PDB file of all heavy atoms in Angstrom:
ATOM      1  N   ASN A   1     -27.139  34.330 -17.243  1.00  0.00           N
ATOM      2  CA  ASN A   1     -26.601  33.716 -18.463  1.00  0.00           C
ATOM      3  C   ASN A   1     -25.059  33.772 -18.372  1.00  0.00           C
ATOM      4  O   ASN A   1     -24.480  34.779 -17.985  1.00  0.00           O
ATOM      5  CB  ASN A   1     -27.082  34.486 -19.709  1.00  0.00           C
ATOM      6  CG  ASN A   1     -28.586  34.403 -19.829  1.00  0.00           C
ATOM      7  OD1 ASN A   1     -29.163  33.280 -19.908  1.00  0.00           O
ATOM      8  ND2 ASN A   1     -29.271  35.527 -19.802  1.00  0.00           N
ATOM      9  N   PHE A   2     -24.445  32.661 -18.733  1.00  0.00           N
ATOM     10  CA  PHE A   2     -23.015  32.538 -18.624  1.00  0.00           C
ATOM     11  C   PHE A   2     -22.232  33.684 -19.288  1.00  0.00           C
ATOM     12  O   PHE A   2     -21.171  34.150 -18.822  1.00  0.00           O
ATOM     13  CB  PHE A   2     -22.513  31.197 -19.193  1.00  0.00           C
ATOM     14  CG  PHE A   2     -22.850  30.040 -18.330  1.00  0.00           C
ATOM     15  CD1 PHE A   2     -22.987  28.785 -18.846  1.00  0.00           C
ATOM     16  CD2 PHE A   2     -23.144  30.190 -16.975  1.00  0.00           C
ATOM     17  CE1 PHE A   2     -23.294  27.652 -18.065  1.00  0.00           C
ATOM     18  CE2 PHE A   2     -23.487  29.114 -16.176  1.00  0.00           C
ATOM     19  CZ  PHE A   2     -23.563  27.820 -16.713  1.00  0.00           C
ATOM     20  N   ASP A   3     -22.820  34.186 -20.415  1.00  0.00           N
ATOM     21  CA  ASP A   3     -22.050  35.227 -21.151  1.00  0.00           C
ATOM     22  C   ASP A   3     -22.315  36.627 -20.579  1.00  0.00           C
ATOM     23  O   ASP A   3     -21.702  37.585 -21.003  1.00  0.00           O
ATOM     24  CB  ASP A   3     -22.434  35.226 -22.677  1.00  0.00           C
ATOM     25  CG  ASP A   3     -23.930  35.298 -22.852  1.00  0.00           C
ATOM     26  OD1 ASP A   3     -24.673  35.460 -21.856  1.00  0.00           O
ATOM     27  OD2 ASP A   3     -24.381  35.277 -24.043  1.00  0.00           O
ATOM     28  N   ASP A   4     -23.214  36.748 -19.617  1.00  0.00           N
ATOM     29  CA  ASP A   4     -23.545  38.064 -19.014  1.00  0.00           C
ATOM     30  C   ASP A   4     -24.002  37.887 -17.568  1.00  0.00           C
ATOM     31  O   ASP A   4     -25.157  37.680 -17.301  1.00  0.00           O
ATOM     32  CB  ASP A   4     -24.584  38.787 -19.827  1.00  0.00           C
ATOM     33  CG  ASP A   4     -25.010  40.116 -19.204  1.00  0.00           C
ATOM     34  OD1 ASP A   4     -24.301  40.590 -18.278  1.00  0.00           O
ATOM     35  OD2 ASP A   4     -25.997  40.713 -19.627  1.00  0.00           O
ATOM     36  N   PRO A   5     -23.027  37.980 -16.594  1.00  0.00           N
ATOM     37  CA  PRO A   5     -23.366  37.740 -15.161  1.00  0.00           C
ATOM     38  C   PRO A   5     -24.478  38.694 -14.625  1.00  0.00           C
ATOM     39  O   PRO A   5     -25.087  38.343 -13.621  1.00  0.00           O
ATOM     40  CB  PRO A   5     -22.036  38.020 -14.458  1.00  0.00           C
ATOM     41  CG  PRO A   5     -21.018  37.770 -15.477  1.00  0.00           C
ATOM     42  CD  PRO A   5     -21.617  38.235 -16.809  1.00  0.00           C
ATOM     43  N   ASP A   6     -24.729  39.819 -15.300  1.00  0.00           N
ATOM     44  CA  ASP A   6     -25.759  40.714 -14.813  1.00  0.00           C
ATOM     45  C   ASP A   6     -27.145  40.438 -15.383  1.00  0.00           C
ATOM     46  O   ASP A   6     -28.082  41.130 -15.060  1.00  0.00           O
ATOM     47  CB  ASP A   6     -25.338  42.202 -15.090  1.00  0.00           C
ATOM     48  CG  ASP A   6     -24.131  42.599 -14.270  1.00  0.00           C
ATOM     49  OD1 ASP A   6     -24.015  42.123 -13.162  1.00  0.00           O
ATOM     50  OD2 ASP A   6     -23.337  43.361 -14.806  1.00  0.00           O
ATOM     51  N   SER A   7     -27.240  39.437 -16.239  1.00  0.00           N
ATOM     52  CA  SER A   7     -28.496  39.118 -16.884  1.00  0.00           C
ATOM     53  C   SER A   7     -29.279  38.120 -15.990  1.00  0.00           C
ATOM     54  O   SER A   7     -28.783  37.629 -15.004  1.00  0.00           O
ATOM     55  CB  SER A   7     -28.313  38.526 -18.257  1.00  0.00           C
ATOM     56  OG  SER A   7     -27.599  37.311 -18.096  1.00  0.00           O
ATOM     57  N   ARG A   8     -30.565  37.820 -16.433  1.00  0.00           N
ATOM     58  CA  ARG A   8     -31.340  36.802 -15.713  1.00  0.00           C
ATOM     59  C   ARG A   8     -31.629  35.677 -16.670  1.00  0.00           C
ATOM     60  O   ARG A   8     -32.000  35.823 -17.772  1.00  0.00           O
ATOM     61  CB  ARG A   8     -32.664  37.447 -15.193  1.00  0.00           C
ATOM     62  CG  ARG A   8     -33.628  36.431 -14.674  1.00  0.00           C
ATOM     63  CD  ARG A   8     -34.819  37.022 -13.942  1.00  0.00           C
ATOM     64  NE  ARG A   8     -35.875  36.052 -13.793  1.00  0.00           N
ATOM     65  CZ  ARG A   8     -36.772  36.024 -12.837  1.00  0.00           C
ATOM     66  NH1 ARG A   8     -36.741  36.988 -11.902  1.00  0.00           N
ATOM     67  NH2 ARG A   8     -37.740  35.121 -12.776  1.00  0.00           N
ATOM     68  N   ASN A   9     -31.445  34.448 -16.129  1.00  0.00           N
ATOM     69  CA  ASN A   9     -31.744  33.251 -16.921  1.00  0.00           C
ATOM     70  C   ASN A   9     -32.949  32.539 -16.371  1.00  0.00           C
ATOM     71  O   ASN A   9     -33.020  32.294 -15.145  1.00  0.00           O
ATOM     72  CB  ASN A   9     -30.542  32.290 -16.923  1.00  0.00           C
ATOM     73  CG  ASN A   9     -30.840  31.024 -17.685  1.00  0.00           C
ATOM     74  OD1 ASN A   9     -31.504  30.133 -17.122  1.00  0.00           O
ATOM     75  ND2 ASN A   9     -30.425  30.940 -18.940  1.00  0.00           N
ATOM     76  N   ASP A  10     -33.925  32.212 -17.272  1.00  0.00           N
ATOM     77  CA  ASP A  10     -35.146  31.571 -16.811  1.00  0.00           C
ATOM     78  C   ASP A  10     -35.317  30.172 -17.346  1.00  0.00           C
ATOM     79  O   ASP A  10     -36.438  29.684 -17.426  1.00  0.00           O
ATOM     80  CB  ASP A  10     -36.344  32.442 -17.188  1.00  0.00           C
ATOM     81  CG  ASP A  10     -36.523  33.667 -16.246  1.00  0.00           C
ATOM     82  OD1 ASP A  10     -36.040  33.519 -15.079  1.00  0.00           O
ATOM     83  OD2 ASP A  10     -36.967  34.689 -16.650  1.00  0.00           O
ATOM     84  N   ASP A  11     -34.216  29.480 -17.713  1.00  0.00           N
ATOM     85  CA  ASP A  11     -34.334  28.114 -18.145  1.00  0.00           C
ATOM     86  C   ASP A  11     -34.864  27.309 -16.965  1.00  0.00           C
ATOM     87  O   ASP A  11     -34.469  27.527 -15.833  1.00  0.00           O
ATOM     88  CB  ASP A  11     -32.986  27.552 -18.578  1.00  0.00           C
ATOM     89  CG  ASP A  11     -32.429  28.223 -19.803  1.00  0.00           C
ATOM     90  OD1 ASP A  11     -33.139  29.006 -20.462  1.00  0.00           O
ATOM     91  OD2 ASP A  11     -31.256  27.988 -20.151  1.00  0.00           O
ATOM     92  N   ASP A  12     -35.717  26.297 -17.240  1.00  0.00           N
ATOM     93  CA  ASP A  12     -36.237  25.480 -16.137  1.00  0.00           C
ATOM     94  C   ASP A  12     -35.159  24.461 -15.737  1.00  0.00           C
ATOM     95  O   ASP A  12     -34.610  23.750 -16.580  1.00  0.00           O
ATOM     96  CB  ASP A  12     -37.535  24.760 -16.594  1.00  0.00           C
ATOM     97  CG  ASP A  12     -38.208  24.118 -15.446  1.00  0.00           C
ATOM     98  OD1 ASP A  12     -37.732  23.201 -14.808  1.00  0.00           O
ATOM     99  OD2 ASP A  12     -39.308  24.687 -15.088  1.00  0.00           O
ATOM    100  N   SER A  13     -34.921  24.331 -14.434  1.00  0.00           N
ATOM    101  CA  SER A  13     -33.847  23.519 -13.976  1.00  0.00           C
ATOM    102  C   SER A  13     -34.264  22.124 -13.465  1.00  0.00           C
ATOM    103  O   SER A  13     -33.450  21.274 -13.069  1.00  0.00           O
ATOM    104  CB  SER A  13     -33.081  24.210 -12.838  1.00  0.00           C
ATOM    105  OG  SER A  13     -33.868  24.280 -11.649  1.00  0.00           O
ATOM    106  N   ALA A  14     -35.594  21.850 -13.471  1.00  0.00           N
ATOM    107  CA  ALA A  14     -36.084  20.625 -12.799  1.00  0.00           C
ATOM    108  C   ALA A  14     -35.409  19.357 -13.296  1.00  0.00           C
ATOM    109  O   ALA A  14     -35.022  18.514 -12.482  1.00  0.00           O
ATOM    110  CB  ALA A  14     -37.589  20.491 -12.940  1.00  0.00           C
ATOM    111  N   ALA A  15     -35.198  19.257 -14.606  1.00  0.00           N
ATOM    112  CA  ALA A  15     -34.634  18.057 -15.147  1.00  0.00           C
ATOM    113  C   ALA A  15     -33.140  17.880 -14.767  1.00  0.00           C
ATOM    114  O   ALA A  15     -32.590  16.741 -14.830  1.00  0.00           O
ATOM    115  CB  ALA A  15     -34.768  18.054 -16.716  1.00  0.00           C
ATOM    116  N   SER A  16     -32.489  18.956 -14.370  1.00  0.00           N
ATOM    117  CA  SER A  16     -31.074  18.909 -14.047  1.00  0.00           C
ATOM    118  C   SER A  16     -30.828  18.780 -12.542  1.00  0.00           C
ATOM    119  O   SER A  16     -29.689  18.713 -12.113  1.00  0.00           O
ATOM    120  CB  SER A  16     -30.381  20.242 -14.500  1.00  0.00           C
ATOM    121  OG  SER A  16     -30.704  20.492 -15.841  1.00  0.00           O
ATOM    122  N   MET A  17     -31.887  18.771 -11.770  1.00  0.00           N
ATOM    123  CA  MET A  17     -31.775  18.805 -10.322  1.00  0.00           C
ATOM    124  C   MET A  17     -32.091  17.432  -9.670  1.00  0.00           C
ATOM    125  O   MET A  17     -32.964  16.739 -10.104  1.00  0.00           O
ATOM    126  CB  MET A  17     -32.811  19.796  -9.749  1.00  0.00           C
ATOM    127  CG  MET A  17     -32.373  21.293  -9.833  1.00  0.00           C
ATOM    128  SD  MET A  17     -31.021  21.678  -8.752  1.00  0.00           S
ATOM    129  CE  MET A  17     -31.783  21.557  -7.156  1.00  0.00           C
ATOM    130  N   PRO A  18     -31.336  17.130  -8.544  1.00  0.00           N
ATOM    131  CA  PRO A  18     -31.760  15.993  -7.751  1.00  0.00           C
ATOM    132  C   PRO A  18     -33.105  16.301  -7.088  1.00  0.00           C
ATOM    133  O   PRO A  18     -33.532  17.479  -7.126  1.00  0.00           O
ATOM    134  CB  PRO A  18     -30.683  15.924  -6.641  1.00  0.00           C
ATOM    135  CG  PRO A  18     -29.617  16.907  -6.987  1.00  0.00           C
ATOM    136  CD  PRO A  18     -30.216  17.819  -7.995  1.00  0.00           C
ATOM    137  N   LYS A  19     -33.784  15.338  -6.518  1.00  0.00           N
ATOM    138  CA  LYS A  19     -35.041  15.538  -5.865  1.00  0.00           C
ATOM    139  C   LYS A  19     -34.952  15.156  -4.400  1.00  0.00           C
ATOM    140  O   LYS A  19     -34.234  14.169  -4.089  1.00  0.00           O
ATOM    141  CB  LYS A  19     -36.167  14.692  -6.526  1.00  0.00           C
ATOM    142  CG  LYS A  19     -36.192  14.828  -8.062  1.00  0.00           C
ATOM    143  CD  LYS A  19     -36.489  16.170  -8.585  1.00  0.00           C
ATOM    144  CE  LYS A  19     -36.598  16.245 -10.099  1.00  0.00           C
ATOM    145  NZ  LYS A  19     -35.364  16.182 -10.812  1.00  0.00           N
ATOM    146  N   ALA A  20     -35.621  15.885  -3.535  1.00  0.00           N
ATOM    147  CA  ALA A  20     -35.737  15.464  -2.160  1.00  0.00           C
ATOM    148  C   ALA A  20     -36.680  14.258  -2.113  1.00  0.00           C
ATOM    149  O   ALA A  20     -37.497  14.083  -3.014  1.00  0.00           O
ATOM    150  CB  ALA A  20     -36.293  16.586  -1.270  1.00  0.00           C
ATOM    151  N   VAL A  21     -36.555  13.428  -1.059  1.00  0.00           N
ATOM    152  CA  VAL A  21     -37.402  12.208  -0.912  1.00  0.00           C
ATOM    153  C   VAL A  21     -38.029  12.171   0.436  1.00  0.00           C
ATOM    154  O   VAL A  21     -37.352  12.416   1.460  1.00  0.00           O
ATOM    155  CB  VAL A  21     -36.529  10.952  -1.106  1.00  0.00           C
ATOM    156  CG1 VAL A  21     -37.405   9.699  -1.003  1.00  0.00           C
ATOM    157  CG2 VAL A  21     -35.793  10.946  -2.488  1.00  0.00           C
ATOM    158  N   VAL A  22     -39.355  11.926   0.481  1.00  0.00           N
ATOM    159  CA  VAL A  22     -40.037  11.741   1.767  1.00  0.00           C
ATOM    160  C   VAL A  22     -39.574  10.431   2.364  1.00  0.00           C
ATOM    161  O   VAL A  22     -39.552   9.407   1.637  1.00  0.00           O
ATOM    162  CB  VAL A  22     -41.580  11.734   1.551  1.00  0.00           C
ATOM    163  CG1 VAL A  22     -42.275  11.446   2.892  1.00  0.00           C
ATOM    164  CG2 VAL A  22     -42.053  13.032   0.966  1.00  0.00           C
ATOM    165  N   ILE A  23     -39.178  10.443   3.605  1.00  0.00           N
ATOM    166  CA  ILE A  23     -38.666   9.158   4.201  1.00  0.00           C
ATOM    167  C   ILE A  23     -39.686   8.603   5.214  1.00  0.00           C
ATOM    168  O   ILE A  23     -40.508   9.318   5.738  1.00  0.00           O
ATOM    169  CB  ILE A  23     -37.325   9.326   4.908  1.00  0.00           C
ATOM    170  CG1 ILE A  23     -37.406  10.280   6.127  1.00  0.00           C
ATOM    171  CG2 ILE A  23     -36.244   9.817   3.908  1.00  0.00           C
ATOM    172  CD1 ILE A  23     -36.403   9.964   7.201  1.00  0.00           C
ATOM    173  N   ASN A  24     -39.510   7.318   5.473  1.00  0.00           N
ATOM    174  CA  ASN A  24     -40.255   6.643   6.553  1.00  0.00           C
ATOM    175  C   ASN A  24     -39.377   6.779   7.785  1.00  0.00           C
ATOM    176  O   ASN A  24     -38.280   6.267   7.865  1.00  0.00           O
ATOM    177  CB  ASN A  24     -40.427   5.154   6.213  1.00  0.00           C
ATOM    178  CG  ASN A  24     -41.308   4.424   7.261  1.00  0.00           C
ATOM    179  OD1 ASN A  24     -41.478   4.995   8.364  1.00  0.00           O
ATOM    180  ND2 ASN A  24     -41.767   3.271   6.950  1.00  0.00           N
ATOM    181  N   PRO A  25     -39.908   7.519   8.822  1.00  0.00           N
ATOM    182  CA  PRO A  25     -39.104   7.748   9.983  1.00  0.00           C
ATOM    183  C   PRO A  25     -39.007   6.603  10.967  1.00  0.00           C
ATOM    184  O   PRO A  25     -38.189   6.620  11.924  1.00  0.00           O
ATOM    185  CB  PRO A  25     -39.792   8.951  10.662  1.00  0.00           C
ATOM    186  CG  PRO A  25     -41.219   8.785  10.285  1.00  0.00           C
ATOM    187  CD  PRO A  25     -41.240   8.195   8.878  1.00  0.00           C
ATOM    188  N   TYR A  26     -39.786   5.558  10.703  1.00  0.00           N
ATOM    189  CA  TYR A  26     -39.872   4.463  11.682  1.00  0.00           C
ATOM    190  C   TYR A  26     -38.704   3.483  11.487  1.00  0.00           C
ATOM    191  O   TYR A  26     -38.403   3.076  10.374  1.00  0.00           O
ATOM    192  CB  TYR A  26     -41.210   3.763  11.562  1.00  0.00           C
ATOM    193  CG  TYR A  26     -42.356   4.734  11.713  1.00  0.00           C
ATOM    194  CD1 TYR A  26     -43.076   5.175  10.554  1.00  0.00           C
ATOM    195  CD2 TYR A  26     -42.660   5.331  12.899  1.00  0.00           C
ATOM    196  CE1 TYR A  26     -44.063   6.106  10.668  1.00  0.00           C
ATOM    197  CE2 TYR A  26     -43.653   6.267  13.010  1.00  0.00           C
ATOM    198  CZ  TYR A  26     -44.371   6.643  11.893  1.00  0.00           C
ATOM    199  OH  TYR A  26     -45.351   7.610  12.015  1.00  0.00           O
ATOM    200  N   PHE A  27     -38.028   3.138  12.585  1.00  0.00           N
ATOM    201  CA  PHE A  27     -36.916   2.242  12.543  1.00  0.00           C
ATOM    202  C   PHE A  27     -36.800   1.449  13.896  1.00  0.00           C
ATOM    203  O   PHE A  27     -37.061   2.055  14.934  1.00  0.00           O
ATOM    204  CB  PHE A  27     -35.592   3.051  12.328  1.00  0.00           C
ATOM    205  CG  PHE A  27     -34.360   2.165  12.243  1.00  0.00           C
ATOM    206  CD1 PHE A  27     -34.080   1.465  11.077  1.00  0.00           C
ATOM    207  CD2 PHE A  27     -33.511   2.094  13.309  1.00  0.00           C
ATOM    208  CE1 PHE A  27     -32.893   0.702  10.949  1.00  0.00           C
ATOM    209  CE2 PHE A  27     -32.355   1.302  13.223  1.00  0.00           C
ATOM    210  CZ  PHE A  27     -32.083   0.614  12.028  1.00  0.00           C
ATOM    211  N   ASP A  28     -36.486   0.192  13.805  1.00  0.00           N
ATOM    212  CA  ASP A  28     -36.412  -0.613  15.035  1.00  0.00           C
ATOM    213  C   ASP A  28     -35.014  -0.493  15.597  1.00  0.00           C
ATOM    214  O   ASP A  28     -34.085  -1.212  15.156  1.00  0.00           O
ATOM    215  CB  ASP A  28     -36.746  -2.055  14.721  1.00  0.00           C
ATOM    216  CG  ASP A  28     -36.657  -2.955  15.943  1.00  0.00           C
ATOM    217  OD1 ASP A  28     -36.488  -2.408  17.045  1.00  0.00           O
ATOM    218  OD2 ASP A  28     -36.814  -4.180  15.814  1.00  0.00           O
ATOM    219  N   TRP A  29     -34.880   0.380  16.600  1.00  0.00           N
ATOM    220  CA  TRP A  29     -33.586   0.555  17.211  1.00  0.00           C
ATOM    221  C   TRP A  29     -33.248  -0.509  18.234  1.00  0.00           C
ATOM    222  O   TRP A  29     -32.087  -0.602  18.733  1.00  0.00           O
ATOM    223  CB  TRP A  29     -33.502   1.917  17.921  1.00  0.00           C
ATOM    224  CG  TRP A  29     -33.261   3.033  16.970  1.00  0.00           C
ATOM    225  CD1 TRP A  29     -34.209   3.927  16.513  1.00  0.00           C
ATOM    226  CD2 TRP A  29     -32.050   3.407  16.347  1.00  0.00           C
ATOM    227  NE1 TRP A  29     -33.610   4.820  15.576  1.00  0.00           N
ATOM    228  CE2 TRP A  29     -32.275   4.541  15.502  1.00  0.00           C
ATOM    229  CE3 TRP A  29     -30.749   2.916  16.394  1.00  0.00           C
ATOM    230  CZ2 TRP A  29     -31.283   5.121  14.742  1.00  0.00           C
ATOM    231  CZ3 TRP A  29     -29.732   3.527  15.647  1.00  0.00           C
ATOM    232  CH2 TRP A  29     -30.014   4.611  14.800  1.00  0.00           C
ATOM    233  N   GLY A  30     -34.216  -1.377  18.553  1.00  0.00           N
ATOM    234  CA  GLY A  30     -33.947  -2.404  19.564  1.00  0.00           C
ATOM    235  C   GLY A  30     -33.531  -1.810  20.868  1.00  0.00           C
ATOM    236  O   GLY A  30     -34.183  -0.931  21.387  1.00  0.00           O
ATOM    237  N   VAL A  31     -32.447  -2.313  21.474  1.00  0.00           N
ATOM    238  CA  VAL A  31     -31.999  -1.829  22.733  1.00  0.00           C
ATOM    239  C   VAL A  31     -30.870  -0.812  22.622  1.00  0.00           C
ATOM    240  O   VAL A  31     -30.106  -0.600  23.560  1.00  0.00           O
ATOM    241  CB  VAL A  31     -31.535  -3.015  23.649  1.00  0.00           C
ATOM    242  CG1 VAL A  31     -32.673  -3.961  23.962  1.00  0.00           C
ATOM    243  CG2 VAL A  31     -30.359  -3.742  22.978  1.00  0.00           C
ATOM    244  N   ASP A  32     -30.823  -0.167  21.439  1.00  0.00           N
ATOM    245  CA  ASP A  32     -29.664   0.756  21.198  1.00  0.00           C
ATOM    246  C   ASP A  32     -29.553   1.802  22.252  1.00  0.00           C
ATOM    247  O   ASP A  32     -30.531   2.417  22.698  1.00  0.00           O
ATOM    248  CB  ASP A  32     -29.925   1.413  19.841  1.00  0.00           C
ATOM    249  CG  ASP A  32     -28.707   2.348  19.488  1.00  0.00           C
ATOM    250  OD1 ASP A  32     -27.623   1.780  19.180  1.00  0.00           O
ATOM    251  OD2 ASP A  32     -28.873   3.562  19.498  1.00  0.00           O
ATOM    252  N   HIS A  33     -28.308   2.059  22.722  1.00  0.00           N
ATOM    253  CA  HIS A  33     -28.034   3.159  23.622  1.00  0.00           C
ATOM    254  C   HIS A  33     -26.652   3.664  23.349  1.00  0.00           C
ATOM    255  O   HIS A  33     -25.793   2.969  22.852  1.00  0.00           O
ATOM    256  CB  HIS A  33     -28.181   2.735  25.118  1.00  0.00           C
ATOM    257  CG  HIS A  33     -27.198   1.650  25.484  1.00  0.00           C
ATOM    258  ND1 HIS A  33     -27.421   0.325  25.299  1.00  0.00           N
ATOM    259  CD2 HIS A  33     -25.986   1.714  26.071  1.00  0.00           C
ATOM    260  CE1 HIS A  33     -26.365  -0.373  25.713  1.00  0.00           C
ATOM    261  NE2 HIS A  33     -25.463   0.428  26.171  1.00  0.00           N
ATOM    262  N   PRO A  34     -26.398   4.977  23.649  1.00  0.00           N
ATOM    263  CA  PRO A  34     -25.068   5.522  23.377  1.00  0.00           C
ATOM    264  C   PRO A  34     -24.007   4.912  24.242  1.00  0.00           C
ATOM    265  O   PRO A  34     -24.259   4.724  25.441  1.00  0.00           O
ATOM    266  CB  PRO A  34     -25.286   7.041  23.686  1.00  0.00           C
ATOM    267  CG  PRO A  34     -26.499   7.145  24.483  1.00  0.00           C
ATOM    268  CD  PRO A  34     -27.363   5.948  24.173  1.00  0.00           C
ATOM    269  N   PRO A  35     -22.824   4.592  23.706  1.00  0.00           N
ATOM    270  CA  PRO A  35     -21.745   4.075  24.549  1.00  0.00           C
ATOM    271  C   PRO A  35     -21.266   5.063  25.604  1.00  0.00           C
ATOM    272  O   PRO A  35     -20.809   4.654  26.647  1.00  0.00           O
ATOM    273  CB  PRO A  35     -20.636   3.754  23.514  1.00  0.00           C
ATOM    274  CG  PRO A  35     -21.343   3.597  22.211  1.00  0.00           C
ATOM    275  CD  PRO A  35     -22.480   4.525  22.253  1.00  0.00           C
TER     276      PRO A  35
END
């Protein structure tokens, strides 16, 4: 809790947080190669 750094706060943070996203790993790199 902001008014007491030694206390514990149990407010739920889900609504205030960004979310991770599952991605599609497939991509057409064509003939890509490192220069």
Side-chain angles (χ1 to χ4, degrees):
N1 298 301
F2 289 157
D3 55 2
D4 177 11
D6 292 327
S7 63
R8 170 170 164 151
N9 176 280
D10 283 333
D11 295 351
D12 194 290
S13 70
S16 310
M17 282 289 292
K19 312 298 183 284
V21 181
V22 177
I23 66 151
N24 183 345
Y26 306 105
F27 182 77
D28 180 7
W29 282 103
V31 295
D32 184 69
H33 63 274

